Amino acid sequence: MARDEVILAIDQGTGSTKALLLDRRGRVLARAAEPLTQTHPRPGWVEQSPAEIWAGVIAATRRCLDGHDPALVAAVGISNQRESMLLWDRATGEPVSPVISWQDRRTTARCAALVADGFGAMVWERTGLPLDPMFSATKGAWLLDHADTDRRRSIRGDLCLGTIDSWLLSRFGGEHVIEIGNAARTQLLDVRTGRWDPRLLELFGIPSQVLPRVVPSTGPFPAVRGLPPLADGVPVGAVLGDSHAALLAHAGWLPGRVKATYGTGSSVMALCHDTSEPGTGLCRTIAWGTGPESGTGVGAIAHAVEGNILSTGSALRWLADTVDRTPAELADLADGASSDGVHLVPAFGGLGAPWWDSDAQATLAGMTLATGLPQIARAALESIAFQVEDVVEAAGQGEVLLADGGAAANPTLMQIQADISGRHVHQSLVSDLSAIGAAHLAGLTGGLWTQTELEDFDRPARLFTPRGGSEERRRRRSAWHQALARARTTDRSA
Ligand SMILES: Nc1ncnc2c1ncn2[C@@H]1O[C@H](COP(=O)(O)OP(=O)(O)OP(=O)(O)O)[C@@H](O)[C@H]1O
Ligand SMILES: [Mg+2]
């Protein structure tokens, strides 16, 4: 195999689509990003355009490969935002719905009704996930209720329901498939077996005929088609959920590794070696499945424990947009400032792990006439760190936190995280770990490197050491929990 072969990684994220080119030693040769819009047609609704997502993938790929020989791309790795769902026509491949974003809360009442009917424990047991509108199942049901009320077209096989990985792979042509880690986030998969669960399909009203076939994270996937300047037929070596890919990029298969990805929302994740109860309010997920398919489901499944926080980077972006600054400018303002008792609880769409409270309301509390933007910006950064620590603590995880994602580039946030957690934080000095994780697995599948070589790749990080005593930490977290309690008891009908 030629020494100069490269891997192209595409990370289809919520805020942007990124493309990276990696050489045979895992070094990033080129990168490009295309922003992606979100629309809010009604309060709590968040949608994206399937066509814009695909156009962003094309544009990011083309720009990333500018000045590089596309013939050297040995394989493509894909990572993607999870849980978001859309529906398309099987015959034409044309979308028949927008993408309902993972952030969308339109199915809150449906989830509450299922909980009230006593299905919560059964669903959590099988899927590893709480009944929450974040997950795809109720989004899929909503889409079918609006496009195929009597499910006749679904049962005939005319429609395809899919996550973003399914959608991108469908653009390449071939069969309707989904990667197993992404499938684990739909709330339709039994994470213990890696198979669609007939009881869940019935509960949510989703006919099996609309669902993709579940395949391992290493495929086989349809090969690239229509992604110039790549030649048609370049293999897709790996597909991973973005959070799962970031864990893989941190060499998360090694014992004791816990990572936090700071994107639009955040995910704290670590592999776990059984499928037992992972800790209050946390999810069980399939990180990746790399084994060959077998008669009993998808083989060699790596299970993970995960806590999803709905709003972290998006809280900062909301504040930045509101005051006409950038998130980086806000972080500069917050540097050296004190929040002076101000707390932002960014429950813009309720709260995720470990609370799972759809009714919680975003609040900004504790202000005085002396409060200015620096205090509020500081409170916004602290809200990210407090939320992450609540999850890491619930997971009973270790001394070191591996950090990545757009907001983790910020040293002020990383220091706040170390101080609030009392843990050492390793800030990845390489950005876009989701894309890099997908590249790592694609290169492994394609034989560009071995597992040992992959383990030895350089993973540059900056260490943040906790400051302040445990008493101070306890006091600050207790004040945060009081603010959280207020956000959770707000009466929406008032
Ligand atoms: N300099 C900065 N300081 C702090 N936060 C920042 C900075 N730059 C970007 N961010 C935050 O990072 C977030 C974007 O991170 P990232 O690019 O990892 O998200 P994404 O991939 O689009 O979304 P996701 O991974 O959740 O699907 C934004 O919401 C923004 O608030
Ligand atoms: Mg991302």
Side-chain angles (χ1 to χ4, degrees), residues 63-119:
R63 283 189 27 234
C64 181
L65 284 169
D66 193 26
H68 296 269
D69 181 0
L72 293 176
V73 176
V76 172
I78 296 175
S79 62
N80 61 282
Q81 54 165 315
R82 307 170 300 164
E83 297 114 12
S84 305
M85 270 231 137
L86 75 157
L87 196 62
W88 64 91
D89 183 290
R90 191 183 299 270
T92 65
E94 286 303 311
V96 295
S97 80
V99 172
I100 303 189
S101 168
W102 60 271
Q103 303 165 98
D104 190 288
R105 309 300 287 177
R106 77 185 61 181
T107 58
T108 300
R110 175 81 185 117
C111 289
L114 288 167
V115 171
D117 288 344
F119 290 108

Side-chain angles (χ1 to χ4, degrees), residues 11 13-16 18 81 102 242 262-265 313-314 316-317 327-328 331 405-407 410:
D11 173 38
T14 311
S16 64
K18 295 145 196 159
Q81 54 165 315
W102 60 271
D242 51 8
Y262 299 76
T264 304
S314 60
L316 215 52
R317 178 149 301 285
N410 197 276

Side-chain angles (χ1 to χ4, degrees), residues 68 73 75 80 97 99 103 137 178 236 310 317 322 324 334 419 439 441 483 490:
H68 296 269
V73 176
N80 61 282
S97 80
V99 172
Q103 303 165 98
I178 185 170
V236 175
L310 303 182
R317 178 149 301 285
T322 305
D324 209 13
D419 296 348
L441 190 57
T490 312

